[in-house]
Amino acid sequence: MLKLQGECWVITDHAAGNQRQALALAEHLQLPLRHLVLQPRAPWSWLAPRLELGGRLALPIQQRRLFTPPWPAVAIGCGRAAALFTRMLRRLSDGQCYTVQILNPRIDPARWDTVIAPRHDQLDGPNVLRPLGSLNSVDDEWLADGRESCPRFAELPQPRVGVLLGGPRQGIALNADYAHRLAARLLERQHREGGSLLVLGSRRTSPALVDVFRQALRGVPGLLWAGPDDGRNPYPGVLGWADRLVVTPDSVNMLSEACAVGCPVETLVTAPLPAKLARFHQSLREAGRLHDLGDAASAPPVPPLRETAAIAAALRERIARQQAAQLAD
């Protein structure tokens, strides 16, 4: 394995999905990590990463001291806010920091050393890596740790159906009506075949969705987790023990992580999806990785979708080449 030098900064906002992607990639580089959660002020927050002028003033005073030299050897950002700072680091370090941006920065990708954007973003260029889905940490070891963290799930009746709930986003209304339809379909199948339902909310899941499932799941084996009031987040355990996963259609991250498990993955789509998300769904369906709710049982198994290690290996080679060239100079 190529040996890289220096420190790696992971730069994100507070979004859990952005943090998971950037940290999952950075861990594969095997460099000392420093995670910076940076949130630019207006007007930089409105225009990131386009507005670079005076960019260090974009940070609140209490965060400004975090973004100071010595600059890292590698910087990995995820999300539009982080893209401002990874873009700046290339200039501030005189090109000595290898800059990586995850997700489409919506400006010329040549402003970074490498951009990693999923195929449905339709971004291309010589420095663009294009996985099918989002980066994540889900692999056999991660799933084994998840099972070990939740051993009581082994006692639940099979099939254990994990249900991952997202939330409304532009073009998708995940409301109480949707929750009633999804719960009815899940309960109909559970009454027919038995098993258990392990339902997980996310930060974006509305109280209305949670309330529907709390009422519907009374007396059904399994659990419902919607936040810290329900105890420790059992997400790794649910993915580790699931025989089948049902995911709401709104989240690329949740769908990618579900498809990395290796069990059948289903979704319920009740209205046309936004174009970019529809392209992602179609790619998963064409690869046999995503099915309509109730259709997975008849589908042939496919290998789990695990792209992070391969993307990291390609990135390591690029960073190593740059570092070798810098030493030669």
Side-chain angles (χ1 to χ4, degrees):
M1 181 180 292
L2 298 169
K3 179 71 172 176
L4 304 182
Q5 304 296 323
E7 185 181 38
C8 176
W9 285 7
V10 172
I11 303 175
T12 69
D13 53 16
H14 289 280
N18 289 343
Q19 293 186 9
R20 285 203 301 273
Q21 288 203 69
L23 289 168
L25 178 64
E27 287 166 3
H28 279 275
L29 300 184
Q30 298 183 345
L31 290 173
L33 295 184
R34 183 181 177 200
H35 184 195
L36 305 183
V37 179
L38 303 179
Q39 193 66 51
R41 303 179 299 167
W44 293 273
S45 59
W46 304 334
L47 301 172
R50 296 180 182 276
L51 179 59
E52 187 185 15
L53 183 66
R56 292 179 72 176
L57 298 176
L59 288 170
I61 292 176
Q62 63 271 27
Q63 291 187 8
R64 211 171 295 167
R65 61 181 176 80
L66 303 175
F67 194 73
T68 56
W71 305 119
V74 179
I76 298 173
C78 187
R80 192 168 58 86
L84 169 62
F85 302 108
T86 50
R87 178 186 176 188
M88 288 170 53
L89 277 169
R90 198 178 189 193
R91 173 180 55 81
L92 292 170
S93 68
D94 294 324
Q96 297 299 299
C97 174
Y98 192 99
T99 56
V100 182
Q101 184 58 35
I102 302 172
L103 301 180
N104 186 351
R106 301 181 185 179
I107 61 174
D108 186 354
R111 298 184 185 276
W112 291 265
D113 291 297
T114 293
V115 171
I116 301 169
R119 293 173 207 167
H120 60 270
D121 274 352
Q122 296 184 325
L123 183 68
D124 208 354
N127 68 325
V128 178
L129 299 176
R130 304 172 69 228
L132 173 58
S134 62
L135 306 180
N136 58 73
S137 297
V138 179
D139 58 18
D140 289 343
E141 183 178 357
W142 188 92
L143 293 168
D145 289 343
R147 290 190 292 273
E148 186 176 343
S149 71
C150 298
R152 63 188 180 88
F153 290 175
E155 302 170 7
L156 291 172
Q158 292 182 270
R160 305 180 193 96
V161 179
V163 183
L164 310 183
L165 302 176
R169 51 172 284 183
Q170 188 173 5
I172 300 181
L174 289 191
N175 50 25
D177 178 66
Y178 177 90
H180 280 293
R181 295 173 70 175
L182 177 58
R185 295 280 298 276
L186 291 169
L187 288 171
E188 178 187 6
R189 185 164 63 179
Q190 194 273 337
H191 292 155
R192 185 173 66 250
E193 68 181 17
S196 49
L197 294 172
L198 298 93
V199 180
L200 298 177
S202 66
R203 294 182 185 181
R204 297 186 302 107
T205 307
S206 70
L209 264 74
V210 173
D211 289 344
V212 168
F213 276 92
R214 287 203 190 279
Q215 294 292 326
L217 294 183
R218 289 181 177 176
V220 177
L223 65 85
L224 186 148
W225 186 92
D229 289 346
D230 294 319
R232 182 170 56 91
N233 188 344
Y235 181 76
V238 169
L239 266 60
W241 287 105
D243 300 301
R244 183 187 302 133
L245 286 164
V246 177
V247 188
T248 56
D250 53 288
S251 172
V252 171
N253 286 343
M254 288 198 311
L255 284 164
S256 298
E257 291 177 2
C259 289
V261 172
C263 67
V265 180
E266 301 175 326
T267 191
L268 176 64
V269 179
T270 59
L273 299 172
K276 187 164 71 169
L277 187 59
R279 290 195 297 269
F280 177 59
H281 276 243
Q282 187 61 29
S283 295
L284 293 179
R285 290 175 183 274
E286 289 173 354
R289 301 183 184 281
L290 181 64
H291 310 276
D292 288 329
L293 184 59
D295 289 352
S298 59
V302 296
L305 178 66
R306 297 178 184 172
E307 303 176 282
T308 308
I311 291 290
L315 182 62
R316 288 181 67 91
E317 289 186 8
R318 294 176 180 218
I319 297 171
R321 285 198 300 267
Q322 186 192 77
Q323 291 189 346
Q326 290 169 349
L327 290 172
D329 290 343

